[in-house]
């Protein structure tokens, strides 16, 4: 049985889940259940709004992502789990960690019984694995199974973003290759 924080959350649930309400983008075929996500889509995709980190020049499509980046990368601020040694940049990541690792809450796929720590990762799994959906790059013919992989592809191949080793200067298309 599902419960809600307040009456407004219950009404939103009814409107979206049972009445099928959606925010429709006038410029493309995307639909959204959340007004904030719809407005972010319009600003970032159709208006090209970006937020640039002054110290390093990395661009973000959301001010929240820029703030998180600044706190984590430039100010070294992390949220520490009070039950183990793990630390996180985002409050939601810490909550997800506690729920999954320390409280044992998982989301199970009804089709293959694989478990996930977030409902969103379960939905992505179903969409990609069982429904065969892929995310297409709008600039070329490549497609990817995750938003992160598509974002990394666009940054490296269409925006020319490179990550340099501070010791030797070698450049990589992906940040994780520096490790």
């Amino acid at each position: 049985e599902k419960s809600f924080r307040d009456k407004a959350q219950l009404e939103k649930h009814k409107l979206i889940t049972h009445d099928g309400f959606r925010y429709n983008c006038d410029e493309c075929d995307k639909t959204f259940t959340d007004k904030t996500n719809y407005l972010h889509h319009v600003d970032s995709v159709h208006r090209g709004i970006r937020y640039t980190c002054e110290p390093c020049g990395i661009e973000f499509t959301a001010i929240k992502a820029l703030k998180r980046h600044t706190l984590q990368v430039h100010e070294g601020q992390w949220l520490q789990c009070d039950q183990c040694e793990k630390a996180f940049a985002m409050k939601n990541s810490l909550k997800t960690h506690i729920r999954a690792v320390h409280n044992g809450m998982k989301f199970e796929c009804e089709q293959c019984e694989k478990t996930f720590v977030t409902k969103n990762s379960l939905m992505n799994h179903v969409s990609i694995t069982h429904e065969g959906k892929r995310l297409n790059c709008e600039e070329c013919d490549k497609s990817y199974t995750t938003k992160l992989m598509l974002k990394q592809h666009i940054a490296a191949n269409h925006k020319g973003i490179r990550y340099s080793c501070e010791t030797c200067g070698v450049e990589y298309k992906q940040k994780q290759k520096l490790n």
Side-chain angles (χ1 to χ4, degrees), residues 151-164:
K151 187 177 175 180
Q152 288 175 338
H153 160 77
I154 291 168
N157 296 290
H158 302 298
K159 292 185 177 177
I161 294 173
R162 299 290 184 268
Y163 301 93
S164 299

Side-chain angles (χ1 to χ4, degrees), residues 13 16 27 39 44 51 60 78 82 104 122 128 143 149 160 179:
H13 165 79
I16 293 167
E27 300 185 47
L39 293 173
S44 64
Y51 303 92
F60 298 89
W78 295 83
D82 61 2
L122 167 62
I128 293 160
S143 67
M149 290 171 67
N179 296 336

Side-chain angles (χ1 to χ4, degrees), residues 31-57:
T31 62
F32 301 87
T33 58
D34 183 82
K35 186 177 183 179
T36 304
N37 291 341
Y38 161 68
L39 293 173
H40 175 259
H41 163 79
V42 171
D43 285 347
S44 64
V45 175
H46 301 298
R47 293 189 182 139
I49 294 174
R50 298 290 183 269
Y51 303 92
T52 305
C53 175
E54 294 300 323
C56 64

Side-chain angles (χ1 to χ4, degrees), residues 82-113:
D82 61 2
Q83 299 177 49
C84 70
E85 296 297 314
K86 287 250 183 191
F88 300 88
M90 295 173 20
K91 194 183 239 180
N92 281 349
S93 299
L94 174 59
K95 285 181 181 178
T96 299
H97 162 77
I98 291 169
R99 200 171 50 237
V101 175
H102 302 297
N103 298 343
M105 186 175 169
K106 301 241 192 291
F107 297 87
E108 186 175 312
C109 176
E110 293 175 357
Q111 297 179 52
C112 69
E113 298 179 3

Side-chain angles (χ1 to χ4, degrees), residues 3-169:
S3 61
F4 301 91
R5 285 191 312 253
D6 54 37
K7 189 173 180 175
Q9 288 290 356
L10 172 62
E11 292 304 318
K12 182 179 177 182
H13 165 79
K14 285 180 185 176
L15 190 65
I16 293 167
T17 307
H18 303 292
D19 298 341
F21 179 79
R22 298 288 184 269
Y23 292 92
N24 298 311
C25 180
D26 294 333
E27 300 185 47
C28 68
D29 61 351
K30 291 220 177 219
T31 62
F32 301 87
T33 58
D34 183 82
K35 186 177 183 179
T36 304
N37 291 341
Y38 161 68
L39 293 173
H40 175 259
H41 163 79
V42 171
D43 285 347
S44 64
V45 175
H46 301 298
R47 293 189 182 139
I49 294 174
R50 298 290 183 269
Y51 303 92
T52 305
C53 175
E54 294 300 323
C56 64
I58 294 176
E59 287 187 347
F60 298 89
T61 59
I63 191 75
K64 195 174 185 178
L66 172 60
K67 287 178 182 176
R68 182 180 65 237
H69 163 80
T70 303
L71 287 171
Q72 183 182 343
V73 175
H74 302 294
E75 296 175 18
Q77 291 185 19
W78 295 83
L79 301 169
Q80 183 72 43
C81 175
D82 61 2
Q83 299 177 49
C84 70
E85 296 297 314
K86 287 250 183 191
F88 300 88
M90 295 173 20
K91 194 183 239 180
N92 281 349
S93 299
L94 174 59
K95 285 181 181 178
T96 299
H97 162 77
I98 291 169
R99 200 171 50 237
V101 175
H102 302 297
N103 298 343
M105 186 175 169
K106 301 241 192 291
F107 297 87
E108 186 175 312
C109 176
E110 293 175 357
Q111 297 179 52
C112 69
E113 298 179 3
K114 191 171 182 178
T115 59
F116 300 88
V117 295
T118 66
K119 188 174 183 179
N120 192 39
S121 56
L122 167 62
M123 292 181 349
N124 284 339
H125 160 78
V126 170
S127 174
I128 293 160
T129 307
H130 302 297
E131 296 172 0
K133 291 187 181 171
R134 294 182 65 84
L135 302 168
N136 298 317
C137 176
E138 294 178 1
E139 310 235 2
C140 68
D141 61 352
K142 297 222 176 202
S143 67
Y144 296 88
T145 56
T146 68
K147 286 181 184 178
L148 177 62
M149 290 171 67
L150 176 60
K151 187 177 175 180
Q152 288 175 338
H153 160 77
I154 291 168
N157 296 290
H158 302 298
K159 292 185 177 177
I161 294 173
R162 299 290 184 268
Y163 301 93
S164 299
C165 174
E166 292 177 6
T167 307
C168 68

